[in-house]
Amino acid sequence: MDESVILGIKDLYKSFGGVAATNGLTLDVLEREVHAVIGPNGAGKTTLVSQLTGVVLPDAGQVVFRGRDITRMPAYRRPHLGMARSFQITSIIHDMTVLENVVLAVQAKAGHSYRFWESAIIDDQLTEPAMRALTQVGLETEAMQVAGPLSHGEHRQLELAMVLATDPELVLLDEPTAGMGREDSTRMVSMLESLKGSRTIILVEHDMDAVFALADRITVMVEGRAIATGTPDVIRADRLVREAYLGEDINTAIKSARET
Amino acid sequence: MKSLTLRGWVTLVVLVALALLPVFVSMTGREFFLVLATRLVILAIAAVSLNLILGYGRMISFGHAAYLGIGAYAVGIPVYYEIYNGFIHIGIAVVVSAAFAFLTGLVCLRTRGVNFIMITMAFSMMVFFAFVSIEEYGGDDGLVIEVRSEFGQWVNLENDTVLYYVCFVSLLGILYLIRRIVHSRFGMVIQGARGNEARMQSLGFDTFRYRLVCYVIAGALCGYAGALLGNFTSFISPEMMDWTRSGELIFMVVLGGTSSLFGPVLGAGLFILLEEILSGFWLYWQLIFGIFLILVVLFAKGGIDSWLGRRPER
């Protein structure tokens, strides 16, 4: 069992001005599972993502990725171990084309970029994987367009393409359906579904439909701690979880989570 | 051959005019134009090098003229000690400029925005005052460079036309170099970090180091321009690296169009022509010039280059 843990989080603490955003969080993510992290607003999900990606360093505790302690590793080194993330608020390079955005993601994985002479955008070693990632998310026809003016849904697709282009072992998706309409959201979920089994996915998500459709296991966070981890069925039935969500049943919880 | 756009034509016409200028001068005997054009070309190189960090990397350095000074002193000081070999001069200019960019960049590049502007200016003023205080090399009176750099028997810089062509060919070479850099993997990273640094880091790029390398390249290229400038003016004083000089370089880049390859050349050209024409009209020509610059910044985002049919940015 233990050797299949790809990401181990142990006793993680992080406080901001005396308020503990992460308060002794312990959590194991297994190889190739889709592990959803849910919880009410202010539960510390975003802070968790920031600590896993190295944007914020924990006050105490440990993060171990494939047997390696990465607790204090700088953000820019983590992708080279096989971690990739998407952002809750779309984070792309607006003044570049869609293809250039993804080429940069491929480039990040393809060793150092201290190459000053050959053109990057006509280099098949970069553009072919980039186009593959774009095809995977259904954005290949927009490849040559400047990314900025595209629609929100397309930005989210591009965001995902950039994650896929780095060919990560572990994908951290921070609310991939954030701000999406029903249709786009359904498309995104089926896209994520096609990734299931090929890599480990940590899914931080408000959309309970998406969570229950995708997750192999779910962790419920409340006040910086994991109060329950289990399969969707177990979580659905868990009394603690119900109490955490205002003492109401899970349907109310779903509703309140959607509204935030 | 592809049909040329307006900006393609402008680029071509400007380059051909610069290439043929000495012919015009030798036919009409108006040496003055050669002097003007040499200065234009040298400052164009400086502006193009500044654009690499300012335009493509959004590192708004207010201390770029320091490299002009370092480059010029790299000619002046060896000549003072009767070392006339031009390869040594250029070597010193480039290496010292790169080293200065590296050391200051380690500090500057940890800051952003106004802090970056102020700290680059502070470092350039440090160099300024350092040379003011060194009496041996003339202090603030400056240093006369008695002899121009020697490059063997084939290239004699004492001939003004030869010096001009060396500057012109240098400009072409550096434009080509920057073009390659901008489109390379390295250039993509620099422009990516301009657009969204947090994302670039999350993709796995150590943006600080890429920026530092870019900063060093720009400094070295401007140091090279400085060596040419020292040869051209046959005189170097700390005044050459005053912060107002750095400001002029920024104006040239903004005027021509940031992050456009040829824009800074047009900017440098227009800057020098206007300066020449306006200063002939009125003692307080800077007033008109200032108003003009404000109008450009307000109404021509993207500079001259955007008037030639190119969307601002990229």
Side-chain angles (χ1 to χ4, degrees):
Chain A
M1 185 69 187
D2 225 2
E3 62 270 24
S4 73
V5 172
I6 186 166
L7 184 79
I9 301 161
K10 216 180 144 203
D11 291 329
L12 209 62
Y13 281 91
K14 177 73 196 177
S15 67
F16 296 103
V19 180
T22 310
N23 195 4
L25 178 75
T26 298
L27 175 65
D28 280 338
V29 179
L30 305 179
E31 199 118 22
R32 311 230 155 160
E33 73 171 342
V34 176
H35 195 123
V37 177
I38 62 172
N41 259 356
K45 301 190 296 292
T46 303
T47 310
L48 173 64
V49 171
S50 301
Q51 289 173 95
L52 294 183
T53 51
V55 177
V56 166
L57 296 182
D59 297 333
Q62 209 183 23
V63 181
V64 176
F65 179 64
R66 298 165 93 192
R68 187 164 170 185
D69 187 340
I70 61 162
T71 318
R72 316 214 141 256
M73 184 182 276
Y76 63 82
R77 280 181 55 199
R78 300 182 189 216
H80 300 287
L81 303 180
M83 294 173 75
R85 75 171 294 190
S86 76
F87 287 76
Q88 184 180 350
I89 296 160
T90 303
S91 184
I92 55 171
I93 297 143
H94 286 258
D95 59 2
M96 285 189 162
T97 66
V98 168
L99 181 63
E100 284 170 336
N101 268 278
V102 187
V103 158
L104 274 172
V106 179
Q107 224 179 285
K109 186 77 179 182
H112 70 81
S113 286
Y114 295 103
R115 299 196 191 175
F116 303 91
W117 204 246
E118 300 88 10
S119 175
I121 206 69
I122 55 166
D123 184 345
D124 290 345
Q125 286 178 337
L126 298 176
T127 52
E128 274 174 17
M131 282 310 292
R132 265 205 303 281
L134 282 174
T135 309
Q136 219 173 334
V137 301
L139 211 55
E140 70 276 15
T141 48
E142 280 79 15
M144 293 307 168
Q145 292 184 32
V146 176
L150 295 181
S151 74
H152 178 75
E154 287 165 329
H155 281 167
R156 300 305 292 174
Q157 284 168 275
L158 174 56
E159 178 95 38
L160 184 63
M162 289 170 80
V163 168
L164 295 180
T166 63
D167 192 24
E169 300 280 330
L170 173 70
V171 185
L172 249 158
L173 301 174
D174 195 356
E175 299 201 23
T177 66
M180 278 185 167
R182 188 76 355 227
E183 199 178 312
D184 281 344
S185 177
T186 313
R187 266 240 307 283
M188 179 61 78
V189 169
S190 66
M191 217 140 50
L192 294 178
E193 216 153 27
S194 69
L195 299 178
K196 265 187 88 152
S198 64
R199 40 195 117 222
T200 313
I201 298 175
I202 298 177
L203 177 67
V204 177
E205 186 54 85
H206 268 318
D207 182 343
M208 291 300 155
D209 290 342
V211 167
F212 282 96
L214 291 168
D216 298 310
R217 292 199 305 155
I218 298 172
T219 290
V220 183
M221 272 185 79
V222 175
E223 288 171 0
R225 247 188 307 252
I227 59 160
T229 297
T231 62
D233 288 336
V234 169
I235 292 300
R236 221 175 251 140
D238 194 301
R239 198 175 51 82
L240 262 177
V241 175
R242 293 186 185 192
E243 279 171 11
Y245 279 102
L246 307 163
E248 300 290 337
D249 66 12
I250 194 74
N251 290 319
T252 322
I254 291 167
K255 197 160 160 282
S256 77
R258 268 194 199 143
E259 278 162 6
T260 51
Chain B
M1 194 180 147
K2 276 194 299 188
S3 65
L4 281 172
T5 55
L6 176 60
R7 55 196 295 257
W9 275 110
V10 171
T11 307
L12 192 67
V13 167
V14 170
L15 288 179
V16 168
L18 286 174
L20 297 179
L21 187 113
V23 179
F24 167 78
V25 169
S26 71
M27 280 177 359
T28 59
R30 302 175 87 163
E31 284 289 328
F32 165 74
F33 283 103
L34 191 64
V35 173
L36 196 66
T38 310
R39 186 155 158 262
L40 189 159
V41 168
I42 292 170
L43 290 179
I45 296 173
V48 164
S49 75
L50 175 61
N51 188 37
L52 180 63
I53 50 174
L54 190 155
Y56 293 103
R58 196 157 295 151
M59 295 172 257
I60 304 168
S61 167
F62 219 116
H64 211 58
Y67 301 100
L68 281 178
I70 291 171
Y73 273 107
V75 177
I77 293 172
V79 166
Y80 179 75
Y81 293 113
E82 295 176 7
I83 299 165
Y84 302 129
N85 187 323
F87 294 105
I88 293 177
H89 298 166
I90 299 281
I92 295 173
V94 170
V95 170
V96 173
S97 293
F100 181 70
F102 178 76
L103 292 174
T104 59
L106 281 176
V107 179
C108 300
L109 292 168
R110 296 189 191 280
T111 64
R112 293 282 175 276
V114 176
N115 292 331
F116 183 80
I117 295 175
M118 297 311 287
I119 201 165
T120 49
M121 186 197 278
F123 274 122
S124 78
M125 290 315 280
M126 273 172 55
V127 182
F128 173 90
F129 285 115
F131 277 105
V132 165
S133 65
I134 303 176
E135 292 292 330
E136 184 70 12
Y137 307 130
D140 56 0
D141 291 335
L143 182 67
V144 174
I145 303 172
E146 312 264 1
V147 184
R148 283 180 177 168
S149 301
E150 286 175 358
F151 289 96
Q153 64 190 53
W154 302 105
V155 180
N156 178 14
L157 291 192
E158 297 295 344
N159 180 322
D160 289 338
T161 306
V162 172
L163 176 63
Y164 174 76
Y165 273 119
V166 166
C167 295
F168 180 63
V169 170
S170 298
L171 174 63
L172 292 182
I174 285 169
L175 280 172
Y176 181 64
L177 180 70
I178 301 238
R179 193 192 138 81
R180 297 302 299 234
I181 290 176
V182 166
H183 289 97
S184 71
R185 293 189 184 201
F186 178 79
M188 291 282 287
V189 174
I190 291 302
Q191 291 168 85
R194 172 188 70 188
N196 189 339
E197 186 167 16
R199 176 48 130 169
M200 291 300 284
Q201 288 180 350
S202 81
L203 284 175
F205 292 107
D206 184 354
T207 49
F208 175 78
R209 273 174 48 180
Y210 284 96
R211 279 217 166 103
L212 183 59
V213 171
C214 188
Y215 195 70
V216 168
I217 294 173
L221 290 178
C222 195
Y224 178 81
L228 295 178
L229 188 64
N231 273 297
F232 165 63
T233 56
S234 297
F235 172 74
I236 166 70
S237 83
E239 194 273 331
M240 249 179 206
M241 36 192 168
D242 191 53
W243 65 272
T244 55
R245 298 283 164 187
S246 298
E248 285 176 9
L249 289 178
I250 294 180
F251 279 142
M252 290 174 197
V253 174
V254 173
L255 192 59
T258 55
S259 64
S260 127
L261 182 68
F262 202 67
V265 179
L266 299 177
L270 188 60
F271 187 98
I272 282 163
L273 288 180
L274 278 176
E275 186 185 63
E276 205 57 47
I277 295 165
L278 291 176
S279 63
F281 275 123
W282 196 25
L283 190 59
Y284 304 107
W285 61 275
Q286 278 115 332
L287 184 65
I288 307 171
F289 204 35
I291 292 168
F292 173 72
L293 286 169
I294 290 168
L295 289 177
V296 168
V297 172
L298 283 180
F299 297 110
K301 197 166 179 287
I304 301 172
D305 199 57
S306 68
W307 297 339
L308 303 177
R310 174 177 177 276
R311 62 194 150 89
E313 291 302 301
R314 289 184 59 68

